[in-house]
Every structure is written in C-alpha cells, then in structure tokens.
Amino acid sequence: MLSRRNFLTAAVGVAAAGGLAACAKKDDSSSGSSSGGSKTITLGFSQVGAESGWRSANTTSVKDAAKEAGYTLKFSDAQQKQENQISAIRSYIAQKVDVIAFSPVVVTGWDAVLKEAKAAKIPVVLTDRSVETSDDSLYVTLVGSDFTDEGRRAAKMLATVVEKAGLKGTVKIAQLEGTTGAAPAIERAKGFKEVMDAEHKDWKIVASQTGDFTRAGGKQVMAAFLQSNPDINVLFAHNDDMAIGAIQSIEAAGKKPGKDILIVSIDGVKDGFVAMSEGKINGIVECNPLLGPQLMEVVKQVHEGQKVERWIKTKEGDFLQDQAKAALPNRKY
C-alpha cells in the first residue's frame, strides 16, 4: 500500500479507456460538447458534498474546467456520505463513462467498487483526498494537496504567531478536527503533532474533536471546549469554516479571537481572509481548491493512455495576519 508521502516515487501506465458512449442519468448534470469531429470525453465526478466554502469553490472549478475542456460531465453530490459516493461510482460504471474521478469522503472502504471500475476498464482519478487500498492499481493518480505537510506548516506558523503575540507559559491548544476518517483530518493532525512533539515541549493539545469541516460544527464544538477548558489560549482548526464558527463561540464567551485565543487554520477561503483582516484569525495555511484545470488535463492524459505521476500536487502559500488585507483582493474563492 502506498502512502501519500511516497506517491511521487511511483508512476503507473494506464490503458486507454474504451471508446463507449455514455448514457444519460436523470439526476446528473452534464456539460460540454464534441468539437472537431472527435469523441467527447465523458467524465463521472463524485463530490464529497458542500460542507464548506472550500468545497463549493472546488465544485465550481471542476464544473467550469470540464465545460472549458469540452467534456461531458456527470456530477453527483454525495452529501458527505460514503454510500452515496459508492452508488454514484457504480452508476458511472453502468453508464460506461470514459473516466471516473472522485474526492473520497473517507480513506477506507473503497476496494470493492474500485475493483468493479477496474474490471470495467474505466480508469479512476482521485481528487483532493487519498484512499487506502489493498491494490495500488485500483486508481491511477491523485490530484491534490499534501495534507501532512499542511499540518506541519500550520505548526510552524503557530510558532511564529505565538512568538509575535508574546505568549508565555504553556501553549494550551484546542484542535478542531475535520470529518472523522477523512484524509485531511487524519493527515493535518499528524503533521501538526509531528512538529509539536519534535520542537515545542511547552505545547499541549488539551481538547480535540471533530467539527466535521462545517461552521456549525466548529461553533458547537468550540463552545463545549471553552466550558471544559476555559484556559485554552490557542485554536488549531483543520479548515477556515470551522475556525469561523469557533470565533462566534469565542466571542459569545467574552473572549477576543486572535488575541485571547490565537487562531491558525487551513484552507485560505475568502471568508477566512476577511476574518484574518479583522484580526480574528492569526494565520492561514492555504489549500488551493481550484483543481479543475489540473484534473481535466490529467483526465485527458489518462484517457489517451499516457503515463502520469502517481501524485500531482497543487501549489499553496502561507499567510499571516499582517498579510491579510493585501492578499484579500486576490482571493478567488
């Protein structure tokens, strides 16, 4: 089994997908048309859901890029349920699409349906998130971020934030985790703790719980954290939406986000930058959701039987509070 860390060391050859026409499905959205007399590529794409600003931007990017490429896109929203994604993938197999892409809700539990896609000779591309499989040939490549490295970068950023704030004594951290079992939740926590344990003996995670990547979840869980651990002085949120929700609970408790409780989050959505420009978030590690153009290029390569890298990374940056106002006008999502 390959981990995300060593994906770049592997490359796989992909057989060209069969030239079979795709059938229409009444609840699918389609875009694209054939041009130049060549057959249009039909892509089946299953999205996690619409749980955050990041996810909505990612969906828009995929749809816009498919239209620009002239592909027929069959899109489904899994509403954060693995069973919905498995059902959608099986539907794409039945429709004989050319390529299947999906952003998996969780890491495990995909072998059976991916084996069905392989038996149907339909290549599978992962977007945004990874999976764990018993057979590495069940998917071709991953187009997405290095979540473990994002966790490491968040920890290094927090060290800078703590120093700038002049915080003394034990750094008492509340961690808002992403969806349980999802790759970004697992790997961001891992990367953060790796740096914390190695470099910051005075840091302590005093509370950690999933907020399911939603604002409502972040608000609810942070309120509970503040009741059980009123001396929390740092929040590490696995995404901006949870951080924004948590800010509401921090303010309701009579504390100042960004001052009484230092906040570092991951994503870099516009609302996160707005909060940072207001002094309520101290730093954000970017995770770029605009994967559509990269994905469509990979789909073309896979469809043509070209070799592709096992892991195709996105480009990202890190932003501290004093950079927020200058960076905000350039936020495209």
Side-chain angles (χ1 to χ4, degrees):
M1 183 185 302
L2 288 175
S3 66
R4 289 174 72 103
R5 186 174 297 176
N6 62 15
F7 275 171
L8 284 175
T9 65
V12 294
V14 185
L20 299 172
C23 305
K25 182 186 175 187
K26 63 182 179 181
D27 58 347
D28 283 335
S29 62
S30 299
S31 63
S33 60
S34 59
S35 60
S38 60
K39 178 186 176 296
T40 301
I41 294 174
T42 299
L43 170 65
F45 182 82
S46 177
Q47 181 61 281
V48 171
E51 74 282 1
S52 64
W54 192 100
R55 190 64 54 191
S56 297
N58 180 244
T59 292
T60 298
S61 178
V62 170
K63 289 183 174 180
D64 289 350
K67 184 176 181 180
E68 178 69 21
Y71 298 169
T72 296
L73 176 66
K74 296 187 174 294
F75 179 89
S76 67
D77 180 338
Q79 299 179 326
Q80 291 187 279
K81 295 180 180 179
Q82 184 178 34
E83 59 267 30
N84 290 347
Q85 282 199 307
I86 291 173
S87 177
I89 293 168
R90 286 184 169 139
S91 173
Y92 297 149
I93 294 170
Q95 294 177 69
K96 299 181 173 65
V97 301
D98 296 307
V99 180
I100 292 171
F102 75 109
S103 182
V105 176
V106 293
V107 171
T108 59
W110 302 103
D111 277 29
V113 73
L114 293 182
K115 286 177 181 177
E116 292 171 26
K118 183 177 181 180
K121 295 182 169 47
I122 301 175
V124 175
V125 175
L126 304 180
T127 68
D128 176 37
R129 300 178 176 185
S130 62
V131 300
E132 293 178 1
T133 65
S134 60
D135 179 355
D136 294 328
S137 71
L138 294 180
Y139 67 94
V140 179
T141 187
L142 164 69
V143 181
S145 304
D146 186 337
F147 297 136
T148 303
D149 190 55
E150 287 173 353
R152 295 188 194 107
R153 286 158 51 202
K156 291 180 183 296
M157 175 179 284
L158 178 58
T160 300
V161 167
V162 166
E163 183 179 1
K164 282 189 172 186
L167 184 62
K168 304 298 182 183
T170 302
V171 175
K172 299 177 181 179
I173 303 168
Q175 179 174 226
L176 280 170
E177 305 168 21
T179 303
T180 301
I186 295 168
E187 294 165 19
R188 286 170 182 168
K190 175 184 175 184
F192 186 89
K193 194 171 187 301
E194 179 184 303
V195 172
M196 183 184 79
D197 290 348
E199 301 178 13
H200 303 285
K201 304 303 182 185
D202 57 340
W203 291 12
K204 182 179 180 182
I205 296 176
V206 297
S208 186
Q209 187 176 323
T210 179
D212 212 26
F213 283 129
T214 68
R215 294 191 190 191
K219 180 180 179 179
Q220 180 180 359
V221 175
M222 191 65 194
F225 283 169
L226 289 170
Q227 287 185 346
S228 59
N229 296 277
D231 56 348
I232 289 168
N233 50 24
V234 166
L235 169 65
F236 168 43
H238 286 189
N239 80 339
D240 291 345
D241 279 78
M242 289 190 295
I244 292 167
I247 285 169
Q248 297 176 49
S249 291
I250 292 169
E251 291 176 331
K255 296 177 181 288
K256 293 183 178 180
K259 292 184 178 179
D260 296 328
I261 298 180
L262 306 176
I263 301 175
V264 168
S265 66
I266 299 175
D267 268 1
V269 299
K270 188 171 183 177
D271 285 354
F273 270 75
V274 170
M276 191 160 59
S277 71
E278 294 171 345
K280 297 179 180 182
I281 293 178
N282 302 86
I284 294 175
V285 172
E286 184 181 29
C287 178
N288 196 322
L290 306 182
L291 305 180
Q294 281 181 294
L295 174 60
M296 298 312 146
E297 180 59 28
V298 169
V299 166
K300 178 183 177 182
Q301 293 170 346
V302 167
H303 182 61
E304 293 175 350
Q306 298 181 36
K307 289 185 177 182
V308 296
E309 291 180 331
R310 184 67 167 169
W311 184 8
I312 299 168
K313 290 185 178 181
T314 56
K315 294 181 179 180
E316 302 169 343
D318 298 332
F319 300 88
L320 290 168
Q321 194 176 84
D322 55 9
Q323 300 170 296
K325 289 183 179 179
L328 183 55
N330 297 321
R331 286 291 92 187
K332 296 179 180 179
Y333 48 88

